[in-house]
Amino acid sequence: MGEAQELQLNIIVQDSHEANHQGCTDVPEQPMLPRRRNLNWWLRISIYTLFVIVGQSAATLLGRLYYNKGGKSKCLGTLVQLAGFPILLPYYCIPASRRNPTTNITTNNIPLKSPSTLILASIYVSLGLLVALGCFLYSVGLSLLPVSTYSLICASQLVFNALFSFFLNSQKFTPYIVNSLVLLTISSTLLVFQAGDSADDPIGGSKTKYVIGFLCTVGASAGYGLVLSLTQLVFREVIRNETFAVILDMIVYQSLVATCAVLVGLFASGEWRGLRKEMERFELGKLSYVMNLTWSAIIWQLYAIGAVGLIFEASSLFSNAISVVGLPVVPALAVIFFHDKMDGIKATAMVLGIWGFISYVYQLYLDDRKSKTQRNNATGEVSKAFPLENING
């Protein structure tokens, strides 16, 4: 993962910018970060995809286990999603990482200036605060909902991401993408009609708690979709560098800000006073309590690497679509390990969610076929599923 990226610098103009350039010959074209779909690219995509699917599934189940066995702190549940970033710091000490070339996009052979420290700090702080809020809402939702229901609702983040990407990143909607978004929306909406009865709620919550958990999870999904779209926008318009170190910078600084924000909330709310008692009363024992939190923190960081890496290599919408692959995994495991009830509404929501994801993947397949037929042409076309990719190989 620390290997040098294969660099191919071309200029791509997205449709959303064409109107600004018509009749203005002295205005430079919109620079992008192009991608060639070769073997190395597919290998990186596969690694990032594995991190996202495995990381998301394992971390979600560990979070549910924490609440099932006596954990009550929402702030601590949020903190483990963010505080594992120090395990990434040794990468900066590896000599190969310092030799990894950083390429800036150029316009008319004039290198574009790197963003100032103040601009980068503002970006990291803003995104970090959004991430902290989203993770807290996710923790509230996970503590109040069955993990299978929670996972199915999380699929709505793809819909929010698509809407934000449409406005921020000129994401093109094809019939297959629209079909995918509609199916995922229906899948999440079906769960509104599911009553939060105690038989399906391991916490024994009421319908009011179910509604609160549902709204918090939807709100967190919307925030996550916004963060992914903004991250893609920052990579394209502000940072414009092509190294894995750029991905790490985004994760580490963003997580640092989010962790500080959550720590303030942990002490301000007074939840820290009950952590020792919580650990002593944890049903699986103190060691299991510590191991649960530790591995949750580590696995969430693997997920973060995969999610940001997919944004960097493809697009925020593609990153979010990959996370939906884990849609059938978590509910199935929840039925086995947590004895969640799989009723008709959940089963229907799961089928619609899988159908929606397949529809999106089919669009990727069509884009890939089209890119191969146009590889030798003098002009390229921007992929609808990968808006950052130059298919002119």
Short mmCIF file of all heavy atoms in Angstrom, two decimals, residues 56 60 134 137-139 141-142 145-161 184 187-188 191 213-214 216-222 224-225 300 303 320 323-324 326-327 330:
data_model
loop_
_atom_site.label_atom_id
_atom_site.label_comp_id
_atom_site.label_asym_id
_atom_site.label_seq_id
_atom_site.Cartn_x
_atom_site.Cartn_y
_atom_site.Cartn_z
N GLN A 56 -16.20 -2.66 8.29
CA GLN A 56 -17.53 -2.20 8.66
C GLN A 56 -18.33 -3.29 9.36
O GLN A 56 -18.97 -3.04 10.39
CB GLN A 56 -18.28 -1.73 7.42
CG GLN A 56 -19.68 -1.25 7.69
CD GLN A 56 -20.35 -0.75 6.42
OE1 GLN A 56 -20.62 0.43 6.25
NE2 GLN A 56 -20.61 -1.66 5.50
N THR A 60 -19.10 -3.05 13.42
CA THR A 60 -20.52 -2.89 13.79
C THR A 60 -20.95 -3.98 14.78
O THR A 60 -21.64 -3.70 15.76
CB THR A 60 -21.40 -2.94 12.54
OG1 THR A 60 -21.03 -1.88 11.66
CG2 THR A 60 -22.88 -2.77 12.92
N GLY A 134 -21.44 12.76 13.22
CA GLY A 134 -22.00 11.59 12.57
C GLY A 134 -21.74 10.31 13.35
O GLY A 134 -22.64 9.47 13.50
N LEU A 137 -24.09 10.11 16.34
CA LEU A 137 -25.44 9.71 15.94
C LEU A 137 -25.49 8.23 15.61
O LEU A 137 -26.46 7.53 15.92
CB LEU A 137 -25.91 10.55 14.75
CG LEU A 137 -26.15 12.04 15.02
CD1 LEU A 137 -26.52 12.76 13.72
CD2 LEU A 137 -27.25 12.23 16.06
N TYR A 138 -24.43 7.72 14.97
CA TYR A 138 -24.36 6.28 14.68
C TYR A 138 -24.37 5.48 15.98
O TYR A 138 -25.02 4.44 16.08
CB TYR A 138 -23.09 5.96 13.89
CG TYR A 138 -23.23 6.08 12.40
CD1 TYR A 138 -22.28 6.75 11.63
CD2 TYR A 138 -24.31 5.49 11.74
CE1 TYR A 138 -22.40 6.85 10.25
CE2 TYR A 138 -24.44 5.58 10.36
CZ TYR A 138 -23.48 6.27 9.62
OH TYR A 138 -23.62 6.36 8.26
N SER A 139 -23.63 5.95 17.00
CA SER A 139 -23.57 5.24 18.28
C SER A 139 -24.93 5.21 18.96
O SER A 139 -25.34 4.18 19.51
CB SER A 139 -22.55 5.91 19.20
OG SER A 139 -21.25 5.79 18.67
N GLY A 141 -27.85 5.41 17.43
CA GLY A 141 -28.68 4.49 16.66
C GLY A 141 -28.36 3.04 16.94
O GLY A 141 -29.26 2.21 17.10
N LEU A 142 -27.05 2.71 17.04
CA LEU A 142 -26.65 1.33 17.28
C LEU A 142 -27.06 0.87 18.67
O LEU A 142 -27.36 -0.31 18.89
CB LEU A 142 -25.13 1.19 17.11
CG LEU A 142 -24.55 -0.21 17.22
CD1 LEU A 142 -25.17 -1.15 16.18
CD2 LEU A 142 -23.03 -0.17 17.06
N LEU A 145 -31.19 0.33 18.39
CA LEU A 145 -31.80 -0.51 17.35
C LEU A 145 -31.15 -1.89 17.32
O LEU A 145 -29.97 -2.03 17.67
CB LEU A 145 -31.63 0.14 15.98
CG LEU A 145 -32.33 1.47 15.72
CD1 LEU A 145 -31.92 2.02 14.35
CD2 LEU A 145 -33.83 1.32 15.81
N PRO A 146 -31.89 -2.90 16.88
CA PRO A 146 -31.26 -4.19 16.56
C PRO A 146 -30.22 -3.97 15.46
O PRO A 146 -30.41 -3.14 14.57
CB PRO A 146 -32.42 -5.05 16.06
CG PRO A 146 -33.64 -4.40 16.61
CD PRO A 146 -33.35 -2.93 16.67
N VAL A 147 -29.12 -4.68 15.52
CA VAL A 147 -28.02 -4.43 14.60
C VAL A 147 -28.43 -4.69 13.15
O VAL A 147 -27.94 -4.04 12.22
CB VAL A 147 -26.79 -5.28 14.98
CG1 VAL A 147 -27.06 -6.76 14.79
CG2 VAL A 147 -25.57 -4.83 14.21
N SER A 148 -29.34 -5.63 12.92
CA SER A 148 -29.80 -5.90 11.55
C SER A 148 -30.58 -4.71 11.00
O SER A 148 -30.38 -4.29 9.86
CB SER A 148 -30.66 -7.16 11.51
OG SER A 148 -31.74 -7.07 12.44
N THR A 149 -31.47 -4.14 11.82
CA THR A 149 -32.22 -2.96 11.40
C THR A 149 -31.28 -1.78 11.18
O THR A 149 -31.39 -1.04 10.19
CB THR A 149 -33.28 -2.59 12.46
OG1 THR A 149 -34.14 -3.71 12.68
CG2 THR A 149 -34.10 -1.40 12.01
N TYR A 150 -30.35 -1.60 12.09
CA TYR A 150 -29.38 -0.51 12.00
C TYR A 150 -28.60 -0.58 10.69
O TYR A 150 -28.43 0.43 9.99
CB TYR A 150 -28.44 -0.60 13.21
CG TYR A 150 -27.20 0.23 13.11
CD1 TYR A 150 -27.20 1.58 13.47
CD2 TYR A 150 -26.00 -0.33 12.67
CE1 TYR A 150 -26.04 2.33 13.38
CE2 TYR A 150 -24.84 0.42 12.59
CZ TYR A 150 -24.87 1.75 12.95
OH TYR A 150 -23.72 2.49 12.87
N SER A 151 -28.13 -1.77 10.34
CA SER A 151 -27.33 -1.93 9.12
C SER A 151 -28.13 -1.63 7.86
O SER A 151 -27.63 -1.03 6.92
CB SER A 151 -26.75 -3.34 9.06
OG SER A 151 -25.94 -3.60 10.18
N LEU A 152 -29.38 -2.07 7.85
CA LEU A 152 -30.22 -1.82 6.68
C LEU A 152 -30.50 -0.33 6.50
O LEU A 152 -30.52 0.19 5.38
CB LEU A 152 -31.52 -2.60 6.80
CG LEU A 152 -31.39 -4.12 6.72
CD1 LEU A 152 -32.73 -4.80 7.03
CD2 LEU A 152 -30.89 -4.55 5.35
N ILE A 153 -30.72 0.39 7.62
CA ILE A 153 -30.96 1.83 7.52
C ILE A 153 -29.71 2.55 7.04
O ILE A 153 -29.80 3.53 6.29
CB ILE A 153 -31.40 2.38 8.89
CG1 ILE A 153 -32.73 1.76 9.31
CG2 ILE A 153 -31.56 3.90 8.84
CD1 ILE A 153 -33.16 2.14 10.72
N CYS A 154 -28.54 2.06 7.44
CA CYS A 154 -27.29 2.69 7.03
C CYS A 154 -27.11 2.70 5.52
O CYS A 154 -26.33 3.51 4.99
CB CYS A 154 -26.10 1.99 7.69
SG CYS A 154 -25.89 2.38 9.44
N ALA A 155 -27.79 1.81 4.82
CA ALA A 155 -27.69 1.79 3.36
C ALA A 155 -28.19 3.08 2.74
O ALA A 155 -27.83 3.41 1.61
CB ALA A 155 -28.48 0.60 2.80
N SER A 156 -29.00 3.85 3.49
CA SER A 156 -29.51 5.11 2.95
C SER A 156 -28.40 6.14 2.74
O SER A 156 -28.61 7.14 2.05
CB SER A 156 -30.57 5.70 3.89
OG SER A 156 -30.01 6.03 5.15
N GLN A 157 -27.20 5.90 3.32
CA GLN A 157 -26.12 6.84 3.14
C GLN A 157 -25.71 6.95 1.67
O GLN A 157 -25.23 8.00 1.23
CB GLN A 157 -24.91 6.44 3.98
CG GLN A 157 -24.25 5.15 3.57
CD GLN A 157 -23.27 4.65 4.61
OE1 GLN A 157 -23.45 4.85 5.80
NE2 GLN A 157 -22.21 3.99 4.16
N LEU A 158 -25.93 5.88 0.89
CA LEU A 158 -25.62 5.93 -0.53
C LEU A 158 -26.52 6.93 -1.25
O LEU A 158 -26.09 7.65 -2.15
CB LEU A 158 -25.77 4.54 -1.15
CG LEU A 158 -25.42 4.42 -2.64
CD1 LEU A 158 -23.97 4.80 -2.88
CD2 LEU A 158 -25.67 3.00 -3.13
N VAL A 159 -27.78 7.00 -0.83
CA VAL A 159 -28.71 7.95 -1.43
C VAL A 159 -28.29 9.38 -1.13
O VAL A 159 -28.24 10.23 -2.02
CB VAL A 159 -30.15 7.70 -0.91
CG1 VAL A 159 -31.11 8.70 -1.51
CG2 VAL A 159 -30.58 6.27 -1.22
N PHE A 160 -27.98 9.65 0.13
CA PHE A 160 -27.55 11.00 0.50
C PHE A 160 -26.25 11.37 -0.20
O PHE A 160 -26.07 12.50 -0.66
CB PHE A 160 -27.37 11.09 2.02
CG PHE A 160 -28.66 11.01 2.79
CD1 PHE A 160 -28.94 9.90 3.57
CD2 PHE A 160 -29.58 12.04 2.74
CE1 PHE A 160 -30.14 9.83 4.29
CE2 PHE A 160 -30.78 11.97 3.45
CZ PHE A 160 -31.05 10.87 4.23
N ASN A 161 -25.33 10.40 -0.27
CA ASN A 161 -24.07 10.67 -0.93
C ASN A 161 -24.26 11.01 -2.40
O ASN A 161 -23.61 11.90 -2.94
CB ASN A 161 -23.17 9.44 -0.78
CG ASN A 161 -21.77 9.65 -1.31
OD1 ASN A 161 -21.07 8.70 -1.63
ND2 ASN A 161 -21.34 10.90 -1.42
N LEU A 184 -32.71 1.53 -2.83
CA LEU A 184 -32.13 1.69 -1.49
C LEU A 184 -32.99 2.60 -0.62
O LEU A 184 -33.10 2.40 0.59
CB LEU A 184 -30.71 2.24 -1.59
CG LEU A 184 -29.67 1.27 -2.15
CD1 LEU A 184 -28.35 1.98 -2.41
CD2 LEU A 184 -29.46 0.10 -1.19
N SER A 187 -35.87 0.55 0.45
CA SER A 187 -35.40 -0.43 1.43
C SER A 187 -35.35 0.18 2.83
O SER A 187 -35.80 -0.44 3.81
CB SER A 187 -34.01 -0.93 1.03
OG SER A 187 -33.45 -1.74 2.03
N SER A 188 -34.82 1.40 2.94
CA SER A 188 -34.74 2.05 4.25
C SER A 188 -36.10 2.52 4.74
O SER A 188 -36.41 2.45 5.93
CB SER A 188 -33.78 3.25 4.17
OG SER A 188 -32.48 2.82 3.84
N LEU A 191 -38.40 0.13 6.72
CA LEU A 191 -38.11 -0.11 8.13
C LEU A 191 -38.79 0.88 9.05
O LEU A 191 -38.83 0.67 10.26
CB LEU A 191 -36.59 -0.08 8.35
CG LEU A 191 -35.81 -1.16 7.58
CD1 LEU A 191 -34.32 -0.95 7.75
CD2 LEU A 191 -36.21 -2.54 8.05
N GLY A 213 -33.78 6.03 17.53
CA GLY A 213 -32.66 5.33 16.91
C GLY A 213 -32.71 5.40 15.40
O GLY A 213 -31.67 5.58 14.74
N PHE A 214 -33.93 5.28 14.84
CA PHE A 214 -34.08 5.36 13.39
C PHE A 214 -33.67 6.74 12.88
O PHE A 214 -32.90 6.86 11.92
CB PHE A 214 -35.54 5.07 13.01
CG PHE A 214 -35.81 5.13 11.54
CD1 PHE A 214 -35.68 4.01 10.74
CD2 PHE A 214 -36.21 6.32 10.93
CE1 PHE A 214 -35.92 4.06 9.38
CE2 PHE A 214 -36.46 6.39 9.57
CZ PHE A 214 -36.32 5.26 8.80
N CYS A 216 -31.76 9.02 14.32
CA CYS A 216 -30.33 9.26 14.52
C CYS A 216 -29.50 8.55 13.45
O CYS A 216 -28.52 9.10 12.93
CB CYS A 216 -29.90 8.80 15.91
SG CYS A 216 -30.43 9.88 17.25
N THR A 217 -29.89 7.32 13.12
CA THR A 217 -29.14 6.57 12.10
C THR A 217 -29.29 7.21 10.73
O THR A 217 -28.31 7.30 9.96
CB THR A 217 -29.62 5.11 12.06
OG1 THR A 217 -29.55 4.55 13.37
CG2 THR A 217 -28.76 4.29 11.12
N VAL A 218 -30.50 7.66 10.39
CA VAL A 218 -30.70 8.34 9.11
C VAL A 218 -29.91 9.65 9.08
O VAL A 218 -29.26 9.98 8.08
CB VAL A 218 -32.20 8.62 8.88
CG1 VAL A 218 -32.40 9.51 7.66
CG2 VAL A 218 -32.96 7.31 8.68
N GLY A 219 -29.94 10.41 10.19
CA GLY A 219 -29.17 11.64 10.25
C GLY A 219 -27.68 11.39 10.12
O GLY A 219 -26.96 12.14 9.43
N ALA A 220 -27.18 10.33 10.76
CA ALA A 220 -25.77 9.98 10.64
C ALA A 220 -25.42 9.57 9.21
O ALA A 220 -24.35 9.91 8.70
CB ALA A 220 -25.44 8.84 11.60
N SER A 221 -26.34 8.85 8.55
CA SER A 221 -26.10 8.44 7.16
C SER A 221 -26.02 9.65 6.24
O SER A 221 -25.19 9.71 5.33
CB SER A 221 -27.22 7.50 6.70
OG SER A 221 -27.25 6.32 7.48
N ALA A 222 -26.89 10.64 6.49
CA ALA A 222 -26.85 11.87 5.70
C ALA A 222 -25.53 12.61 5.93
O ALA A 222 -24.90 13.09 4.98
CB ALA A 222 -28.03 12.77 6.07
N TYR A 224 -22.68 11.30 6.89
CA TYR A 224 -21.58 10.53 6.31
C TYR A 224 -21.53 10.72 4.80
O TYR A 224 -20.44 10.86 4.22
CB TYR A 224 -21.76 9.05 6.65
CG TYR A 224 -20.64 8.17 6.17
CD1 TYR A 224 -19.38 8.24 6.74
CD2 TYR A 224 -20.84 7.25 5.14
CE1 TYR A 224 -18.35 7.43 6.30
CE2 TYR A 224 -19.82 6.44 4.69
CZ TYR A 224 -18.57 6.54 5.28
OH TYR A 224 -17.55 5.73 4.83
N GLY A 225 -22.70 10.74 4.16
CA GLY A 225 -22.74 11.00 2.73
C GLY A 225 -22.17 12.36 2.38
O GLY A 225 -21.46 12.53 1.39
N TRP A 300 -12.00 0.01 12.98
CA TRP A 300 -12.59 1.22 12.38
C TRP A 300 -11.56 1.99 11.56
O TRP A 300 -11.90 2.64 10.56
CB TRP A 300 -13.20 2.11 13.45
CG TRP A 300 -14.60 1.77 13.83
CD1 TRP A 300 -15.07 1.44 15.07
CD2 TRP A 300 -15.75 1.73 12.96
NE1 TRP A 300 -16.43 1.19 15.03
CE2 TRP A 300 -16.86 1.35 13.75
CE3 TRP A 300 -15.93 1.95 11.60
CZ2 TRP A 300 -18.15 1.22 13.22
CZ3 TRP A 300 -17.21 1.81 11.07
CH2 TRP A 300 -18.29 1.45 11.88
N TYR A 303 -11.25 0.39 8.24
CA TYR A 303 -12.39 0.83 7.43
C TYR A 303 -12.16 2.23 6.88
O TYR A 303 -12.46 2.51 5.71
CB TYR A 303 -13.66 0.80 8.28
CG TYR A 303 -14.83 1.48 7.62
CD1 TYR A 303 -15.57 0.83 6.63
CD2 TYR A 303 -15.19 2.79 7.95
CE1 TYR A 303 -16.64 1.45 6.01
CE2 TYR A 303 -16.26 3.41 7.34
CZ TYR A 303 -16.98 2.74 6.38
OH TYR A 303 -18.03 3.38 5.76
N ASN A 320 -19.06 4.69 -1.16
CA ASN A 320 -20.27 4.42 -0.40
C ASN A 320 -20.98 3.17 -0.91
O ASN A 320 -21.56 2.40 -0.13
CB ASN A 320 -21.21 5.63 -0.48
CG ASN A 320 -21.85 5.95 0.84
OD1 ASN A 320 -22.05 5.07 1.66
ND2 ASN A 320 -22.20 7.19 1.06
N SER A 323 -19.48 0.11 0.54
CA SER A 323 -19.88 -0.14 1.93
C SER A 323 -21.23 -0.84 2.01
O SER A 323 -21.53 -1.54 2.99
CB SER A 323 -19.93 1.17 2.71
OG SER A 323 -20.99 1.99 2.28
N VAL A 324 -22.05 -0.65 0.98
CA VAL A 324 -23.37 -1.29 0.95
C VAL A 324 -23.25 -2.79 0.66
O VAL A 324 -24.18 -3.56 0.90
CB VAL A 324 -24.29 -0.59 -0.08
CG1 VAL A 324 -25.66 -1.25 -0.16
CG2 VAL A 324 -24.44 0.88 0.27
N GLY A 326 -21.66 -4.80 2.32
CA GLY A 326 -21.80 -5.48 3.60
C GLY A 326 -23.22 -5.53 4.11
O GLY A 326 -23.47 -6.04 5.21
N LEU A 327 -24.15 -5.02 3.32
CA LEU A 327 -25.56 -4.98 3.71
C LEU A 327 -26.10 -6.34 4.13
O LEU A 327 -26.68 -6.47 5.21
CB LEU A 327 -26.39 -4.39 2.57
CG LEU A 327 -27.90 -4.33 2.76
CD1 LEU A 327 -28.25 -3.32 3.84
CD2 LEU A 327 -28.60 -3.97 1.46
N VAL A 330 -23.96 -8.14 7.73
CA VAL A 330 -24.22 -7.82 9.12
C VAL A 330 -25.56 -8.37 9.61
O VAL A 330 -25.62 -8.98 10.68
CB VAL A 330 -24.13 -6.29 9.35
CG1 VAL A 330 -24.46 -5.94 10.79
CG2 VAL A 330 -22.73 -5.80 9.00
#
